[in-house]
Amino acid sequence: MSEPDNGSVNLTISDDGIATITFYHPAQNSLPSALLAELVEKIAKAGENAETRVIILKSEGNRTFCAGASFDELLQIKDKKQGAEFFAGFARVINTCRKSPKIIIARIQGKAVGGGVGLAAAADYCLATEAASVKLSELAIGIGPFVISPAVIRKIGLPAFSQLTIRAVDFQTAQWAMEKGLYNEVYRDIETLDAAVDTLSQKLASYHPEALHGLKEILWEGTEDWDQLLNTRAAVSGELVLSEFTQNTLSDFLKGKR
């Protein structure tokens, strides 16, 4: 019997200093805790490598960029401590992106949902396709986008965040995401997107590393308290996920009832 496909996170660094971090999970590139931990490790490793000039963050496949938290794993949470630890995985990814000394480019080829939106918001610059619509579905399952909200609000502002959160079952288009500031550039298809990502990363890799580092620090000014803030938010989500409402809703989603 073959082993179950639990996903993967891979890091490659080219000779010209472009670090590419690619994650994959068979359930629409969702992120169970093991993959969140691997993302933290790979992002930190790429940022600490003296040869790295710029980091590209991407997922495999030509459909969903990231479906967010693993519903299967959310259903396995049995107490507040376990719940807080799961959501702290997203907090650590965002904070690792924030504290990385290298500029991070996100390549968003398809839909971003929940934590996937948070991942996009944690990058310094996002390029996407027209298929890369976004949705924050947390309210619909009985929790909220509490851990990722500081990163998302930082990019799109409170009014757009409110729309995205309250319209929890509705996707907003990639054009909407660009107009609000989550995406910086939107392309018609993956081929065009990849060409643009390659061109931009090559250009950034040619710039002065210390200038890029200085820019990174400016981009994240005022976020120094996020280690504590995001962990506090993780505890809130970790408690809510234990509720009967949320557990029943998650079960219905997995059974295809919603």
Side-chain angles (χ1 to χ4, degrees):
M1 181 181 293
S2 62
E3 291 294 320
D5 189 345
N6 294 318
S8 62
V9 180
N10 295 303
L11 166 64
T12 61
I13 302 177
S14 67
D15 292 340
D16 48 7
I18 298 172
T20 302
I21 297 169
T22 307
F23 66 93
Y24 162 76
H25 192 276
Q28 297 181 305
N29 288 325
S30 61
L31 292 172
S33 57
L35 288 193
L36 290 169
E38 286 191 54
L39 272 175
V40 168
E41 177 190 349
K42 297 297 195 300
I43 294 166
K45 184 176 181 179
E48 293 163 1
N49 191 315
E51 301 302 315
T52 299
R53 295 291 179 265
V54 62
I55 298 170
I56 297 171
L57 181 62
K58 60 186 289 190
S59 63
E60 288 190 16
N62 57 9
R63 295 178 65 84
T64 304
F65 166 69
C66 178
S70 165
F71 281 13
D72 286 320
E73 190 163 349
L74 287 176
L75 279 170
Q76 301 303 313
I77 293 172
K78 302 304 180 185
D79 56 54
K80 293 179 183 180
K81 181 178 179 181
Q82 190 180 3
E85 176 57 27
F86 174 79
F87 287 102
F90 283 95
R92 284 189 282 270
V93 170
I94 292 172
N95 278 320
T96 303
C97 289
R98 173 177 67 87
K99 291 185 281 190
S100 172
K102 310 299 167 63
I103 295 293
I104 298 175
I105 300 170
R107 169 202 180 266
I108 317 291
Q109 82 279 15
K111 291 178 179 179
V113 179
V117 177
L119 202 56
D124 301 299
Y125 201 85
C126 281
L127 292 84
T129 70
E130 293 175 355
S133 54
V134 295
K135 179 170 72 171
L136 291 181
S137 58
E138 285 86 345
L139 278 183
I141 61 172
I143 55 177
F146 304 124
V147 174
I148 66 172
S149 62
V152 179
I153 291 171
R154 169 180 164 270
K155 282 287 185 74
I156 70 177
L158 188 59
F161 172 77
S162 298
Q163 179 182 353
L164 202 56
T165 303
I166 290 172
R167 291 286 188 179
V169 299
D170 299 330
F171 276 101
Q172 303 298 328
T173 67
Q175 188 64 35
W176 181 95
M178 184 170 69
E179 290 171 356
K180 302 304 182 185
L182 180 66
Y183 298 157
N184 300 98
E185 303 172 21
V186 172
Y187 294 89
R188 66 179 180 272
D189 54 36
I190 292 176
E191 182 180 2
T192 313
L193 168 68
D194 284 339
V197 170
D198 183 62
T199 298
L200 177 60
S201 59
Q202 293 285 346
K203 180 63 69 175
L204 287 175
S206 72
Y207 293 161
H208 195 313
E210 291 183 15
L212 290 172
H213 186 196
L215 173 61
K216 177 82 179 200
E217 292 182 334
I218 290 172
L219 293 177
W220 289 92
E221 281 181 349
T223 63
E224 293 80 10
D225 65 336
W226 278 22
D227 282 321
Q228 179 177 349
L229 175 63
L230 299 194
N231 280 329
T232 300
R233 299 285 182 83
V236 174
S237 295
E239 185 170 353
L240 280 171
V241 79
L242 295 171
S243 70
E244 183 180 356
F245 180 98
T246 301
Q247 291 292 303
N248 289 340
T249 304
L250 287 169
S251 294
D252 287 346
F253 267 109
L254 290 175
K255 293 173 184 175
K257 294 180 181 180
R258 290 177 182 245

